[in-house]
Amino acid sequence: MAGVSLKCGDCGALLKSVEEAQEHAELTSHSNFSESTEAVLNLVCSSCGKPCRSKTESDLHTKRTGHTNFVDKTSETAKPISLEVPKVVDDSAGAMDVDGSSSSQPEEMIVPEVDKKLLEELEAMGFSAARATRALHYSGNGSIEAAVNWVVEHENDPDIDQMPLVPANTKVESPNPSLTPEEIKIRAQELKYGVNLVPEEAYNERIRIGKELLEAKRIEEDNERKRLMALRKAEKEEEKRAREKIRQKLEEDKAERRRKLGLPPEDPATVKPSAPAVEEKKSSLPIRPATKVEQMRECLRSLKQNHKDDDAKVKRAFQTLLTYVGNVAKNPNEEKFRKIRLNNQTFQDRVGALTGGIEFLELCGFEKIEGGEFLFLAREKVEMVVLNSAGSELSSAINNPFFGVL
């Protein structure tokens, strides 16, 4: 079967004539063409009669117009392709007959005209005149970039440094002298697929859809951010209410303990107005004074509360007090265990500098002597019951993680 089209071996485009192949070559720099028995499609719209050369073009036509019915007239329009390049008939010189045979002397070949300014720039860049002229001619004579790209793609061609020649009677001009390299690429795609792949309507539609997608995504992210903020706010409110309940419970328990110990309230403003009335109704009996054990426990609680930001320091103070009390209980006759220098740096760091440390030792029987320089527990004032109770309270304070919380 005879060839009905020319196929570009570089991109696969089907072209109906030699002219189209030449234009395709000039725009894309493709040079590998061969005859093909595959005809260029001719899909004619039944509604408006527009011919479409490819399925892509018909799909875009349907999208733009809504027309869906096409008649395939490819077989009707397909005809054997002529590989002869049409030549201009010069009646005055009688150079060609109608059948294309030469009737006189061979055609004169000349160097094609190219943009002189671009040619000078290419020569200034180091290209030879022949290479620069060839690059400008075959790249469309449009820009320096297109010419340089053509040279890079064809630098291994055997005739790269030969001056190009065209028939003298052929008007040589750039196919699209005003096109930019980007426009040349788009035109090459038009030749390949037979349709403008980026029509203005489709381009605008894509822009609109893109903007809508971005706006939808922004709104979704904004709603998700608002939802998370509302959730965090609700969690903080719930946490705040829980903390307030715990604080109220602690205040009530603290007021109750101070009442049992016979101590006045720390701040009357924090005591609920109903509390005194309830207490008065509970019993008319006099409040008993707090025992020494209760005073020790309250002293340790106060120490922990006053230094609640440093658990390690509180625990070290409790362990140091337990060591002092234990040494006296085990060795009541040893004066060195019953006498503590107050200005001793180790004692100050561990116990003396903490509110409640010295008070606890005084509850155990220690007294300040020699102008407050020492804490001393006289032998006759050593009470094993008191020391054992102090040791039990200290052990509880050390081992109970909730000690002093309530």
Side-chain angles (χ1 to χ4, degrees):
M1 180 178 177
V4 293
S5 66
L6 288 176
K7 186 174 185 179
C8 178
D10 296 314
C11 66
L14 292 176
L15 306 161
K16 293 193 300 184
S17 64
V18 174
E19 293 89 336
E20 283 192 2
Q22 289 176 336
E23 184 178 2
H24 181 79
E26 291 177 354
L27 289 170
T28 63
S29 299
H30 297 167
S31 58
N32 183 16
F33 296 93
S34 61
E35 274 190 277
S36 174
T37 58
E38 183 180 356
V40 179
L41 283 178
N42 184 20
L43 303 175
V44 180
C45 177
S46 301
S47 301
C48 63
K50 174 178 172 57
C52 299
R53 292 180 48 168
S54 67
K55 187 65 170 59
T56 303
E57 183 176 358
S58 64
D59 290 343
L60 289 174
H61 180 71
T62 299
K63 184 176 181 181
R64 288 196 301 267
T65 64
H67 301 164
T68 57
N69 295 324
F70 294 87
V71 178
D72 190 349
K73 295 186 178 181
T74 303
S75 59
E76 299 177 9
T77 57
K79 59 182 179 179
I81 190 168
S82 173
L83 299 181
E84 294 293 333
V85 180
K87 297 181 179 179
V88 179
V89 177
D90 190 346
D91 294 334
S92 62
M96 292 287 178
D97 290 337
V98 176
D99 60 358
S101 60
S102 177
S103 60
S104 61
Q105 61 184 8
E107 253 189 316
E108 181 184 0
M109 305 296 286
I110 62 173
V111 177
E113 294 182 4
V114 295
D115 190 302
K116 294 182 179 180
K117 184 176 181 181
L118 297 180
L119 179 63
E120 292 175 359
E121 291 183 14
L122 287 172
E123 290 179 345
M125 294 170 64
F127 295 104
S128 64
R131 182 173 296 200
T133 302
R134 181 175 288 270
L136 286 172
H137 174 66
Y138 288 110
S139 66
N141 200 28
S143 67
I144 291 292
E145 293 79 2
V148 172
N149 290 335
W150 189 92
V151 171
V152 172
E153 294 175 2
H154 296 81
E155 60 182 353
N156 295 324
D157 292 356
D159 58 349
I160 186 67
D161 287 314
Q162 295 179 10
M163 190 68 74
L165 298 175
V166 296
N169 60 352
T170 301
K171 185 178 180 181
V172 180
E173 39 178 60
S174 172
N176 291 293
S178 61
L179 295 181
T180 65
E182 291 76 12
E183 292 171 333
I184 291 175
K185 291 180 180 178
I186 293 175
R187 179 59 183 147
Q189 289 180 327
E190 292 177 359
L191 286 174
K192 178 177 179 180
Y193 297 105
V195 63
N196 183 357
L197 297 182
V198 191
E200 184 177 359
E201 297 85 353
Y203 176 78
N204 293 337
E205 181 68 12
R206 285 202 299 270
I207 292 295
R208 184 185 64 80
I209 294 174
K211 289 181 178 179
E212 290 179 354
L213 290 175
L214 288 176
E215 180 65 15
K217 184 177 180 182
R218 185 192 66 77
I219 293 175
E220 182 181 359
E221 291 176 349
D222 190 45
N223 291 337
E224 179 66 13
R225 184 165 54 252
K226 289 179 180 179
R227 188 185 70 81
L228 291 176
M229 289 177 64
L231 182 61
R232 292 194 190 100
K233 184 177 180 180
E235 290 175 350
K236 288 182 178 179
E237 291 293 333
E238 183 64 25
E239 184 180 354
K240 183 178 179 181
R241 287 193 293 269
R243 285 199 303 266
E244 182 63 21
K245 288 181 181 179
I246 294 174
R247 188 191 66 77
Q248 291 178 359
K249 179 63 176 173
L250 291 175
E251 291 294 336
E252 292 172 359
D253 292 344
K254 187 174 181 180
E256 179 68 16
R257 288 197 304 272
R258 296 187 70 84
R259 186 193 65 77
K260 290 181 178 180
L261 295 174
L263 300 173
E266 286 184 348
D267 186 3
T270 61
V271 181
K272 292 185 177 180
S274 58
V278 172
E279 293 302 329
E280 290 176 1
K281 292 179 181 179
K282 281 185 178 180
S283 175
S284 59
L285 298 175
I287 299 174
R288 66 174 179 83
T291 63
K292 184 166 288 190
V293 173
E294 291 173 335
Q295 292 177 0
M296 289 180 180
R297 189 178 302 131
E298 181 64 24
C299 184
L300 295 178
R301 283 199 184 97
S302 177
L303 189 150
K304 185 169 184 178
Q305 286 294 324
N306 289 329
H307 305 282
K308 59 184 177 182
D309 294 332
D310 195 340
D311 290 338
K313 181 182 290 187
V314 171
K315 188 173 183 179
R316 186 176 61 182
F318 288 168
Q319 290 172 341
T320 303
L321 290 172
L322 183 60
T323 301
Y324 285 136
V325 172
N327 286 338
V328 175
K330 294 175 183 178
N331 307 280
N333 296 321
E334 293 289 340
E335 182 178 336
K336 65 180 180 179
F337 295 123
R338 293 184 283 106
K339 190 173 184 179
I340 304 172
R341 184 184 294 276
L342 290 175
N343 60 3
N344 180 276
Q345 189 60 44
T346 302
F347 174 78
Q348 285 294 322
D349 292 341
R350 290 175 173 266
V351 177
L354 277 67
T355 304
I358 295 177
E359 289 81 351
F360 184 84
L361 290 173
E362 289 177 339
L363 289 171
C364 294
F366 284 85
E367 297 176 343
K368 292 181 181 179
I369 61 172
E370 299 181 17
E373 185 177 354
F374 292 94
L375 274 177
F376 182 70
L377 177 57
R379 178 63 184 87
E380 63 274 11
K381 292 186 178 182
V382 174
E383 297 181 20
M384 299 304 295
V385 176
V386 175
L387 295 177
N388 290 335
S389 298
S392 298
E393 292 299 322
L394 286 166
S395 297
S396 175
I398 293 171
N399 299 318
N400 183 4
F402 301 103
F403 180 82
V405 176
L406 298 176

